[in-house]
Structure formats: structure tokens, C-alpha cells
Amino acid sequence: MPGGIVITGYGCLTACGRDAETTWDAVVSGESGIEEAATWDSAEWPYRLAGEIKNYKPRELVADRKLLKFITRQDVIGLNAANQAVTHSGIIEYRDGLSDPAAFNDRTGVFVGSPATKYRYQHDYLEPLAVADGDSHEFGLRAMDDVHPMWLLRTLPNNVLAYVGIQYGFKGANANVTAHGISGTQAIAEACRYLKDGAIDQAVVVGYDSASELEALPYYASVGLLSSSGLRPFDRSRDGTVLAEGAGALVLETREAAERRGAEIRGEVLGSSVVAEAEGVLSVREDGDGVIRAIQQALEDSRTSPGDIGMISAHGNGSRVSDAGEARAFSEIFGASAIPVTGFKWSLGHTIAASGAIESILTLLCLRDGRVPGMPTLEELSPDCAGARVSDSEQEPRSGVGIVVSRAFAGLNSCIVLSSNV
């Protein structure tokens, strides 16, 4: 689609703030939303840290009280971010002033990076399973009494996708992406493809998750992914990640559609990519192969070169192999150019499916303000991460173009190229 894909609205909800600007202010001020978990008892558990939404009150986040009966905490967070982005973009006011708003709805899509369901939402089944003791007939009888009648509707993995469309009447192309840590960036990439192909004129893209649940921790811990002391990307002493919750949402439009309605253009998505290493569910290549190919393909898609890139938002999840692989990839592609690298998980925690969407918004704000935030948890750069120009103090982007890197289980890697040169 000539003219490119532009960003006209965004919104987010994180452990550091109720919106994008509050979160951004916290990050550039060196603040962290990671604390001891408050939503579950961590006293007897070695991994006590989490990035949780502070003072969570669902009725303040979603206005429809009836809807709250049918959705979960993570859905509430996702819908709130979507509402922020839609309001920020002004597309509803524009649509409602059209002589044919139905045509606008038909050309508006919704793309969501979803975490699917959570262990905590299976609790209704635990007592019937225990009492039945393997007797399927007895289990069925007990489940009819004990399982919430709205259990299925509350745990559908596409709730945010569905309710964004229902709330606003958007009927265009849509997709629900469940791909662990690249869900948010892949949703952005999917939306861009539909916009470029001319199938839709605008899209709401949401990435959301509430990953900091007690029930998941033993599994993450058993494969060595969690830190009990803090999230320190690229640091010599890094020992794992900290799970978190949050959501990010963007309104994307073709430049033609945005200019037609006189929208404020806040940035541009120049290109994207999604690749797989195809080696195993938990394996991460130490040579950075997946990250290298993701960046290369995103640069090709955006028709930019390594020299055009002004900053990198790294995945930076604090795990030893992943961080080292990213640093090797940056060195391989950008050489000795010393491109500024930052990350946001040290402050927000790892929001898994939401991370790519939230970090894309924060990267756009980096480019807008000409600031690449430092990472205060960086005390000593690890020798195996020497290929990444990271710092504990603020840097300056070399240009108005940046890339966002996301990684996930199963060797999935994604990259988004963003520009503030609108």
C-alpha cells in the first residue's frame, strides 16, 4: 500500500503506570515496577518477584460491569489498553461523523497477541478431580455443581479480540495470535500485512498478558528461566527473568486513511518479520541465528539498511543464553557502529504476550523524545554481551528509526522497524 502504515494512537497499562506516558516517565526516571508479588502468597517460594498492576480495580478499567462477569483479569487489562488506543486515535469521533459509518467498520480490523488461558482459571476443576479419584462419571457429576457456568466464556483465548470488535462494531479482518513472547509483535506484523494488501484501512492491535501467576512459576523455574533477585539484562550476574502483567495497544492505519481524516500521525511501522529457529520448544541458539534473520528480514521489508537504524529495543529478558545471542546478533548486523541498545523488562518485568506491543510503544516514545533510557540494573556488562552497546545511563538515538526485537519459546523471533519521521 503506497504511503506506508502509520500509528495514530496507542495506550498501555503496566506495572509502572496506567498509561503510556506514565510508564514512559517511570522508565526514563529509572524506576521499576517489579516488587514482591501481592496477588499470591510468596512467603514460602524462592521466586517472589513480579511486575504486577498496582491497585488493580477492574471497574475502573472496563466500564461495562456486565462484561466483567464474562472476562478474566488479563482480558480486563487488554481491553483497557485497547480503549486507551482507540480514544487516543480519535477514530470513533471520525467514524460517527461519516454518512456511511458501516463502511468504515467493514474496513477496520482487530489483531490481538493473546496469552491464551492460565492455570489459575482451571481451579474450578481441582476439587471435582480430587473427589472423583479417577471415576469419570463421578467427576462429571461434581463438575456440573462446582464449575462456574461461565467458565468456558471466561477462559476463551480470543476474548479481547471479540470484545474489542463488539464494543466498537469493527467487522474487518482479524486474527488472534498465541505465540508466547512474540505474540504482540506478530500481531503488529499481521495487521501490517492486511493494511499493505489493501484488505482494511485501519486496525486496532493489542498485546496483553498476566503472566505473573503462582501456578506457572514451578514450570518456568524448572527450566532455569526465573531470577529470585531481579531482572538484569546483559549483566555479568544476570540469572533469569521476572514474570509480569500488562498490555499495549496501537491503532494502525494506511497513511492515506489517516490523512483523509486529518489524524495526528505519531509514528510509522516501516517493516516487520517473524522467523523460527525450528530446533526445539525450549532451545535458544547461542549464535543469535534467529535474531539475525529476524532483523535482516525486517530491514529488507522496511527497505532500510543497518546504517539507517538509530536504536535497538532488545528483548533483554535477563536469561544468559538469550541475552548473549541477541548481543551476537547485534554485533553481526551492525558491526562496530555502536548503535545504542536498551530494553524495558528490567523496569516492567517480562509481560510475555504483551511485551512486543508495550515495547513498540516505548520505542516510539524513545524516538519521539530523542532518548534511549539506560538500564539501572546493569552493573557490569557481561563479556558474552559485548556486542550490545547497553548502558546504565541514558543514550541518544542516532536517527529517528528504531527496531524492536521479541523472542519466544520454540525459537520464535520477531522484529518491528519503527520511525518517528512522520
Side-chain angles (χ1 to χ4, degrees), residues 117-181:
T117 190
K118 289 285 186 291
Y119 292 108
R120 69 170 77 103
Y121 303 130
Q122 314 307 318
H123 287 180
D124 284 5
Y125 285 97
L126 297 184
E127 185 173 349
L129 282 169
V131 172
D133 193 26
D135 184 330
S136 59
H137 179 71
E138 179 65 21
F139 167 72
L141 293 175
R142 290 302 301 261
M144 290 294 290
D145 293 330
D146 293 358
V147 176
H148 194 286
M150 297 300 175
W151 174 83
L152 178 61
L153 293 179
R154 294 175 66 187
T155 59
L156 288 174
N158 63 333
N159 271 341
V160 170
L161 174 73
Y163 287 119
V164 169
I166 292 169
Q167 179 179 351
Y168 295 108
F170 298 152
K171 300 179 180 179
N174 60 85
N176 195 72
V177 178
T178 303
H180 197 251

Side-chain angles (χ1 to χ4, degrees), residues 349-364:
H350 195 343
T351 56
I352 312 292
S355 59
I358 294 171
E359 290 164 17
S360 291
I361 294 167
L362 293 175
T363 299
L364 188 64

Side-chain angles (χ1 to χ4, degrees), residues 269-281:
V269 182
L270 299 180
S272 61
S273 68
V274 177
V275 305
E277 295 174 4
E279 292 197 0
V281 173

Side-chain angles (χ1 to χ4, degrees), residues 52-375:
E52 297 176 331
I53 304 298
K54 309 300 186 292
N55 195 28
Y56 172 79
K57 296 180 179 179
R59 288 188 176 182
E60 294 180 1
L61 300 176
V62 172
D64 187 343
R65 294 188 177 186
K66 291 183 179 180
L67 180 58
L68 292 174
K69 298 178 181 179
F70 300 97
I71 58 177
T72 62
R73 179 182 177 114
Q74 62 189 18
D75 297 336
V76 169
I77 295 169
L79 289 173
N80 178 265
N83 292 338
Q84 288 186 43
V86 169
T87 300
H88 193 216
S89 72
I91 60 173
I92 299 304
E93 292 84 350
Y94 172 77
R95 179 198 65 184
D96 291 348
L98 295 172
S99 59
D100 184 13
F104 183 93
N105 288 338
D106 289 344
R107 301 281 299 173
T108 304
V110 182
F111 296 81
V112 171
S114 164
T117 190
K118 289 285 186 291
Y119 292 108
R120 69 170 77 103
Y121 303 130
Q122 314 307 318
H123 287 180
D124 284 5
Y125 285 97
L126 297 184
E127 185 173 349
L129 282 169
V131 172
D133 193 26
D135 184 330
S136 59
H137 179 71
E138 179 65 21
F139 167 72
L141 293 175
R142 290 302 301 261
M144 290 294 290
D145 293 330
D146 293 358
V147 176
H148 194 286
M150 297 300 175
W151 174 83
L152 178 61
L153 293 179
R154 294 175 66 187
T155 59
L156 288 174
N158 63 333
N159 271 341
V160 170
L161 174 73
Y163 287 119
V164 169
I166 292 169
Q167 179 179 351
Y168 295 108
F170 298 152
K171 300 179 180 179
N174 60 85
N176 195 72
V177 178
T178 303
H180 197 251
I182 71 163
S183 299
T185 42
Q186 187 169 348
I188 294 172
E190 292 282 346
C192 287
R193 291 294 180 265
Y194 279 86
L195 289 161
K196 287 180 179 179
D197 289 345
I200 52 176
D201 295 325
Q202 49 276 322
V204 180
V205 182
V206 189
Y208 70 102
D209 207 334
S210 182
S212 55
E213 62 167 352
L214 177 62
E215 296 87 345
L217 295 184
Y219 301 99
Y220 279 91
S222 68
V223 293
L225 292 177
L226 296 184
S227 172
S228 60
S229 57
L231 209 165
R232 298 179 293 276
F234 305 106
D235 192 81
R236 180 188 285 270
S237 64
R238 70 190 188 280
D239 62 351
T241 200
V242 174
L243 298 180
E245 61 184 356
L250 305 95
V251 173
L252 306 182
E253 304 185 52
T254 65
R255 182 175 289 274
E256 180 183 11
E259 291 179 344
R260 182 167 59 241
R261 69 181 187 89
E264 180 177 351
I265 296 174
R266 307 173 195 278
E268 185 172 5
V269 182
L270 299 180
S272 61
S273 68
V274 177
V275 305
E277 295 174 4
E279 292 197 0
V281 173
L282 297 175
S283 64
V284 176
R285 287 185 55 151
E286 296 186 26
D287 60 2
D289 169 76
V291 179
I292 290 170
R293 290 186 293 111
I295 295 175
Q296 288 174 335
Q297 291 185 24
L299 293 177
E300 181 179 353
D301 186 50
S302 63
R303 299 182 181 179
T304 57
S305 68
D308 297 322
I309 303 304
M311 64 161 289
I312 298 171
S313 169
H315 182 65
N317 70 352
S319 71
R320 300 206 67 83
V321 176
S322 180
D323 283 6
E326 274 198 279
R328 292 188 183 96
F330 301 155
S331 179
E332 173 75 20
I333 294 174
F334 299 102
S337 59
I339 183 171
V341 177
T342 191
F344 305 105
K345 293 181 178 67
W346 67 267
S347 175
L348 311 178
H350 195 343
T351 56
I352 312 292
S355 59
I358 294 171
E359 290 164 17
S360 291
I361 294 167
L362 293 175
T363 299
L364 188 64
L365 298 181
C366 288
L367 299 171
R368 181 196 69 181
D369 293 354
R371 306 176 69 179
V372 180
M375 294 188 287

